[in-house]
Amino acid sequence: MTAQIIPVAVFDLVVFGATGDLSFRKLMPALYWRESDQQMPEGSRIVGVARTQMSTADYVAQVEAACRRHVGDGFDEAVFARFARRITYVPLDVASREHWAALAEALAGGEDRPRLFYLATSPDLFGPISEGAGAAGIVTPEARVVLEKPIGRDLASAIRINDQVGRVFNESQVYRIDHYLGKESVQNLLALRFANSLFEAVWNRAHVDHVQITVAETVGIEERAAYYDKSGALRDMVQNHILQLLCLVAMEPPTSMTADSVRDEKLKVLRSLRMVADGDALQKSVRGQYRAGAGAGMAVPGYVEELGSPSRTETFVAIKAEVDNWRWAGTPFYLRTGKRLPTRVSEIVIQFHKVPHSIFPPGVGLVEPNRLIIRLQPDDGIQLELMAKDPGPGGMRLRNAPLDIRFADAFKVRYPDAYERLLMDVVRGNATLFMRRDEVEAAWRWVEPILQAWGTSEEPPKPYLAGSWGPTAAIALIERDGRTWFEEAH
Ligand code: BG6
């Protein structure tokens, strides 16, 4: 089957924070690929906005360098030339009326088109930029605003930002992005659950012993120290990406794929998460920080050396989460994520109950519980671990025999980056893969007591060696319950 390109309407896209890491690493390459796949309609315009004074030609040169670097072998001069013609650059200081007027001029003539304001900036600027755009008269009925995560740094700031943005854009115009929802493999989770009847009957507490969600990265803090040190792994990964994955695993079947059907079900899961009570947070969560070690086979410095100053910011988190509803009561969800772990892998492990009674004599081998492993990255696919008879003579011996589908082998198409899909969804006005205000706030509500408990605890994050699977306390967190982290495939 070949990939299908669904045409979109002619649109204008304004990227605020156009000279930042996200813009160069993700947004511009994603738009380049849409150009390459001929999905960019004739006449669509891209306006880069940032504080730096520079010409459009200089900005385009920076975009070209970024696309060459991130598109790699697929880079094509002719495609880039076409893409470059769409781009203009407008320097903008949020407080300057003249600058807003210059932006309005760059958008003139596009009043009836979908007009996207992509805020790839610090969340402190979401309010002021929205207000500035409102005051400049460029928020048309067809306008949409895309907010990058994190939305705030706690519940109060998230509410404040949502209020500020909400004074200019109505909720249906606000697209809160979580790029994990745009990953092919994450959408495949919806296909797995709701396009197959096989799993529904066993997708509950009666059959599932527990669920593990791991998002492991080998990288350190890269060039984002200033952002990361204020954020830490709980805010950077758990409040959004990991809780969204949890929602997709745990939610009830939505009535359809429309935005509100899906978001209503995710919200119910977030509201069912058991609040971590005072005094419980340190039992149910572990935070860690990497020390110098051997990340990806090379000696790498520790977090504080990379940062250049002392810090109590966590680069690793493990949490035991509980979903208090009929489907999942008593089936814990163990979550973990970290930087400088031994391998880059994101996966969801659904571990089923053990067989209730073994009919086999001693010595046949361990009858392991079945596991469904949903690998999100890299080489996404699905693996179902089954017990089978070891072939050949020698009596009955059992062993684990995985059924394994790797999507790259099964479907030979280029996998678009999450941002390609999500940007086009905003143009189409499809908000299914974006977070609604109440979801973001419910996620903060759950995360906040953990942040508070850590904030008041004397204990610093537990150290772990770069290149290891995090502090030993994370192993103890799951082993206390008689379970272990799934790591055998890595
Ligand atoms: C981002 C985080 O949202 O997701 C980064 O801010 C993290 O710290 C990144 O590295 C991981 O995304 P991916 O797509 O590489 O798994």
Side-chain angles (χ1 to χ4, degrees):
M1 203 193 293
T2 53
Q4 238 192 321
I5 303 295
I6 304 173
V8 294
V10 182
F11 65 91
D12 289 336
L13 166 65
V14 185
V15 179
F16 290 85
T19 53
D21 178 68
L22 180 76
S23 167
F24 285 143
R25 203 150 50 96
K26 292 288 185 184
L27 303 180
M28 293 302 158
L31 292 163
Y32 167 93
W33 276 116
R34 294 297 87 222
E35 183 76 58
S36 167
D37 283 351
Q38 307 200 337
Q39 199 179 23
M40 295 282 253
E42 205 42 54
S44 286
R45 300 177 293 190
I46 297 166
V47 186
V49 170
R51 267 196 298 239
T52 320
Q53 284 289 341
M54 72 174 127
S55 65
T56 291
D58 287 347
Y59 181 63
V60 168
Q62 291 192 18
V63 174
E64 179 173 350
C67 288
R68 281 183 188 278
R69 180 155 168 223
H70 296 291
V71 168
D73 290 346
F75 186 85
D76 180 302
E77 310 271 347
V79 171
F80 188 79
R82 232 167 46 224
F83 179 52
R85 280 198 289 275
R86 306 178 182 284
I87 304 176
T88 49
Y89 178 79
V90 176
L92 184 135
D93 176 337
V94 179
S96 157
R97 278 204 188 180
E98 296 89 79
H99 290 179
W100 282 106
L103 177 58
E105 204 177 304
L107 292 170
E111 288 69 21
D112 298 333
R113 308 172 165 190
R115 178 175 285 180
L116 282 57
F117 297 106
Y118 197 116
L119 311 196
T121 64
S122 144
D124 307 341
L125 290 173
F126 294 172
I129 292 175
S130 301
E131 282 160 12
I138 54 177
V139 178
T140 53
E142 279 299 311
R144 287 130 215 211
V145 65
V146 187
L147 307 182
E148 250 306 324
K149 62 142 269 268
I151 311 233
R153 48 175 294 104
D154 52 21
L155 180 60
S157 54
I159 292 176
R160 194 172 57 247
I161 291 168
N162 282 328
D163 282 347
Q164 286 174 325
V165 173
R167 282 198 279 276
V168 180
F169 296 92
N170 59 48
E171 180 62 25
S172 66
Q173 292 177 295
V174 183
Y175 290 72
R176 296 178 190 80
I177 207 160
D178 182 314
H179 79 279
Y180 267 58
L181 295 179
K183 287 181 189 275
E184 285 283 326
S185 49
V186 174
Q187 291 165 60
N188 231 326
L189 183 55
L190 292 171
L192 178 81
R193 285 201 57 199
F194 305 122
N196 296 288
S197 59
L198 189 63
F199 298 110
E200 177 52 22
V202 293
W203 208 261
N204 54 48
R205 64 189 301 274
H207 298 275
V208 177
D209 176 72
H210 74 278
V211 176
Q212 298 182 17
I213 303 180
T214 296
V215 178
E217 296 186 278
T218 50
V219 292
I221 47 172
E222 302 175 286
E223 283 90 48
R224 302 158 71 228
Y227 154 74
Y228 194 86
D229 197 53
K230 280 198 238 117
S231 173
L234 187 64
R235 291 187 177 94
D236 186 50
M237 298 295 286
V238 178
Q239 190 272 345
N240 32 74
H241 305 324
I242 292 196
L243 286 185
Q244 287 291 319
L245 294 178
L246 184 153
C247 285
L248 295 182
V249 173
M251 72 182 185
E252 294 303 311
T255 46
S256 70
M257 274 289 280
T258 56
D260 281 337
S261 303
V262 174
R263 300 188 300 181
D264 285 346
E265 295 308 334
K266 286 195 291 163
L267 180 65
K268 284 189 213 157
V269 175
L270 292 167
R271 288 186 174 156
S272 309
L273 281 172
R274 185 179 305 172
M275 285 292 172
V276 179
D278 283 357
D280 235 16
L282 302 180
Q283 287 294 314
K284 291 193 175 163
S285 72
V286 172
R287 59 177 171 154
Q289 191 188 71
Y290 61 83
R291 296 284 181 264
M298 287 175 349
V300 291
Y303 178 74
V304 289
E305 290 92 66
E306 265 183 81
L307 191 68
S309 56
S311 168
R312 285 171 66 117
T313 299
E314 79 285 358
T315 59
F316 175 97
V317 193
I319 300 180
K320 177 180 177 183
E322 286 151 292
V323 183
D324 284 339
N325 65 17
W326 273 58
R327 193 185 277 268
W328 295 115
T331 298
F333 285 64
Y334 298 96
L335 318 175
R336 70 178 166 163
T337 183
K339 302 272 185 202
R340 293 277 191 231
L341 299 187
T343 184
R344 176 173 182 256
V345 64
S346 298
E347 67 190 7
I348 300 169
V349 178
I350 315 285
Q351 179 154 330
F352 295 94
H353 288 305
K354 293 185 183 129
V355 292
H357 161 73
S358 175
I359 62 166
F360 302 103
V364 294
L366 202 62
V367 184
E368 288 183 34
N370 298 124
R371 288 193 199 95
L372 178 68
I373 299 146
I374 304 160
R375 267 191 321 267
L376 306 175
Q377 60 189 28
D379 49 291
D380 33 327
I382 291 172
Q383 187 176 321
L384 181 60
E385 295 202 334
L386 300 170
M387 292 308 293
K389 179 187 172 296
D390 212 359
M396 179 60 104
R397 282 164 293 119
L398 296 174
R399 73 169 193 200
N400 198 327
L403 277 177
D404 202 346
I405 311 175
R406 280 164 202 267
F407 293 131
D409 299 339
F411 310 108
K412 297 202 184 308
V413 290
R414 180 184 76 84
Y415 268 37
D417 185 75
Y419 282 95
E420 296 178 46
R421 158 81 198 249
L422 294 172
L423 281 164
M424 294 301 111
D425 276 359
V426 184
V427 178
R428 287 188 197 101
N430 179 355
T432 302
L433 299 177
F434 295 82
M435 294 177 292
R436 209 167 51 195
R437 173 176 183 156
D438 45 10
E439 273 182 84
V440 172
E441 293 177 3
W444 276 122
R445 219 164 259 126
W446 184 71
V447 158
E448 207 162 61
I450 305 173
L451 283 170
Q452 275 162 3
W454 290 353
T456 51
S457 160
E458 301 277 292
E459 221 184 297
K462 297 197 170 12
Y464 63 98
L465 279 183
S468 74
W469 276 106
T472 45
I475 300 170
L477 174 87
I478 190 165
E479 293 198 342
R480 266 203 302 274
D481 295 345
R483 300 172 173 121
T484 48
W485 291 110
F486 175 78
E487 271 153 28
E488 64 193 38
H490 323 128

